[in-house]
Amino acid sequence: MLLEVKNLSKEFEKDKPVVNNISFGIKEEEIFALLGPSGCGKTTTLRLIAGFEHLLEGEISLNGKILSRTGHHVAPQKRGIGFVFQDYALFPHMNALENVAFGLGHLPKHKREVFAEEVLCRTGMGDFKDRSPAALSGGQQQRVALARAIAPKPQLVMLDEPFSNLDAMLRDSTRKEVRGILKKAGMSAILVTHDQEEALSFADRIAVMNDGKIEQIGTPEEVYYKPKTRFVAQFLGRTNLFEADAVGVNEIQTNIGPIKLDCQACGRIVCSMRPEHLTLEKPNGTASEKTGLIVGREFKGHDITYHVLLRGEHYIVHTDNRILFKPDDQVVLKPLEPAVVLRDS
Ligand code: ATP
């Protein structure tokens, strides 16, 4: 592991941990995301790793070198970590080139600007090297800030909500470009975000945080399709939750009929099924207790979201645009995949 975070805790007020005994590791060249709602402790975790905060308990090491533990704290500038802040934090009185060259004090003066220009070119900003930050758009400032962070060749780059100041269109394209730049440079990075779509599309692995703790770590596919907890299932997107009694079986009876489980389960369980793992059919014959009613429909071009009411329960179904129903149509819900049993059932 490149970065190892072990049993990390932090309090600002006594007995009120904002980071509560979390552990994770980041591999070489990996892009890792800390994802969670506002106030769950993501930024504090990032700031602890960068050395801007002192930990209460635990240990942080980079490439085998201990950076923080009780009674030991390596200064931020000596950690070999680059930082891209939410507001970019470029020096307003310096042009783009000077901003990038600023962190290259270890190089002889004549080499600093040559190398800074090279890195600016890598982030697509070579033509803007003489512009001051005020004369650059948000997306352009973002790329200068990234160039400044990666120019000193840090072992790890931290990105704290770096796309949140960009409008939706620019956010999408900048995200793709920044990921491409990091991958091409073979850099490891940690992204902090509360935007699940951003984490899913940007990161190789994601740690989902809630209330100072990590609920699950996995690839985007794992956390989305195999959530371990109710929180992860609901935070990562829309889902249908089913509650039932299981007796050492891998199938449960529900309002919509029998549903297969992704594992054997016992006792009262809650399981999650993504809307795209359900489909709709016309009822076969007369309406029965398994017949639902379409109560809402969101047409999105390539797919459709249906809202179905069945025996007082609300279900969400994503289908492709060939499955056509209209409000008040009667439908039967059919599972396409096993439901995922949640650990905190
Ligand atoms: P956001 O997405 O809103 O930035 P976050 O998940 O990054 O949220 P943090 O900024 O890490 O959350 O904050 C976690 C908790 O710690 C919050 O309740 C916050 O108010 C508190 N906190 C953060 N910094 C300080 C500080 N310097 N002093 C006191 N409390 C703080």
Side-chain angles (χ1 to χ4, degrees):
M1 285 289 168
L2 175 70
L3 176 82
E4 283 205 73
V5 173
K6 291 188 204 152
N7 306 106
L8 182 65
S9 292
K10 170 74 182 170
E11 294 176 356
F12 290 106
E13 278 175 63
K14 194 158 170 40
D15 297 332
K16 289 194 181 151
V18 297
V19 174
N20 193 351
N21 194 20
I22 65 169
S23 301
F24 61 92
I26 297 178
K27 296 174 226 163
E28 294 275 357
E29 303 194 10
E30 183 174 44
I31 299 182
F32 191 84
L34 290 172
L35 170 70
S38 182
C40 72
K42 311 178 292 289
T43 298
T44 305
T45 305
L46 210 63
R47 290 175 58 80
L48 284 162
I49 297 168
F52 301 136
E53 301 284 354
H54 286 253
L55 52 70
L56 175 69
E57 277 168 8
E59 188 178 287
I60 300 167
S61 56
L62 188 63
N63 238 341
K65 182 183 166 202
I66 294 176
L67 298 180
S68 301
R69 78 169 155 214
T70 317
H72 176 80
H73 184 89
V74 174
Q77 66 277 14
K78 295 196 174 142
R79 293 193 169 209
I81 292 176
F83 215 108
V84 179
F85 297 91
Q86 189 170 353
D87 59 359
Y88 319 130
L90 295 172
F91 301 117
H93 58 290
M94 293 181 185
N95 65 26
L97 188 75
E98 290 160 345
N99 261 282
V100 178
F102 182 81
L104 300 174
H106 58 289
L107 295 178
K109 197 164 185 306
H110 66 283
K111 284 198 179 160
R112 268 179 231 166
E113 294 209 339
V114 175
F115 186 61
E117 185 166 352
E118 198 186 309
V119 182
L120 273 175
C121 289
R122 258 193 270 154
T123 63
M125 289 301 292
D127 292 344
F128 298 84
K129 65 183 167 79
D130 298 323
R131 294 249 192 119
S132 71
L136 295 171
S137 72
Q140 292 165 340
Q141 288 184 47
Q142 167 67 267
R143 277 183 278 165
V144 175
L146 181 70
R148 188 178 63 178
I150 64 174
K153 299 189 178 149
Q155 300 186 65
L156 182 66
V157 183
M158 314 277 224
L159 307 153
D160 188 2
E161 304 263 8
F163 310 112
S164 57
N165 288 338
L166 306 176
D167 66 46
M169 283 277 281
L170 196 58
R171 198 179 312 149
D172 241 26
S173 55
T174 310
R175 213 150 67 190
K176 275 195 207 104
E177 282 163 15
V178 170
R179 185 179 153 87
I181 293 164
L182 290 170
K183 284 289 171 195
K184 208 162 163 197
M187 304 237 43
S188 309
I190 307 184
L191 167 79
V192 154
T193 180
H194 57 263
D195 180 335
Q196 33 99 1
E197 202 182 301
E198 185 160 296
L200 290 171
S201 62
F202 191 80
D204 301 319
R205 276 191 314 141
I206 300 172
V208 186
M209 285 188 77
N210 181 26
D211 200 15
K213 295 196 172 118
I214 292 180
E215 297 243 343
Q216 185 172 352
I217 299 179
T219 62
E221 290 79 7
E222 281 163 354
V223 291
Y224 184 79
Y225 282 119
K226 290 275 182 188
K228 290 199 167 131
T229 64
R230 227 182 245 253
F231 176 82
V232 176
Q234 291 178 312
F235 193 72
L236 267 288
R238 289 162 148 182
T239 200
N240 297 287
L241 295 180
F242 296 91
E243 202 166 341
D245 289 312
V247 272
V249 289
N250 57 4
E251 187 174 281
I252 50 168
Q253 296 303 321
T254 72
N255 280 349
I256 72 168
I259 293 186
K260 290 239 176 313
L261 302 176
D262 69 333
C263 61
Q264 262 198 3
C266 262
R268 194 79 184 151
I269 59 159
V270 177
C271 51
S272 159
M273 187 172 283
R274 293 283 174 212
E276 58 273 31
H277 286 169
L278 281 172
T279 192
L280 300 174
E281 290 177 5
K282 272 189 187 156
N284 205 348
T286 54
S288 74
E289 59 176 12
K290 303 251 163 46
T291 309
L293 197 68
I294 304 272
V295 291
R297 178 180 187 268
E298 297 161 31
F299 179 72
K300 296 178 203 143
H302 53 295
D303 59 28
I304 307 177
T305 301
Y306 289 103
H307 297 265
V308 179
L309 196 65
L310 198 168
R311 291 167 70 185
E313 297 284 336
H314 182 239
Y315 299 91
I316 307 171
V317 184
H318 288 321
T319 67
D320 67 40
N321 57 13
R322 286 166 303 180
I323 298 192
L324 290 172
F325 290 98
K326 45 187 198 314
D328 293 333
D329 276 353
Q330 292 192 331
V331 286
V332 176
L333 290 123
K334 294 274 177 194
L336 298 170
E337 296 286 335
V340 179
V341 179
L342 302 177
R343 194 181 59 198
D344 59 350
S345 287

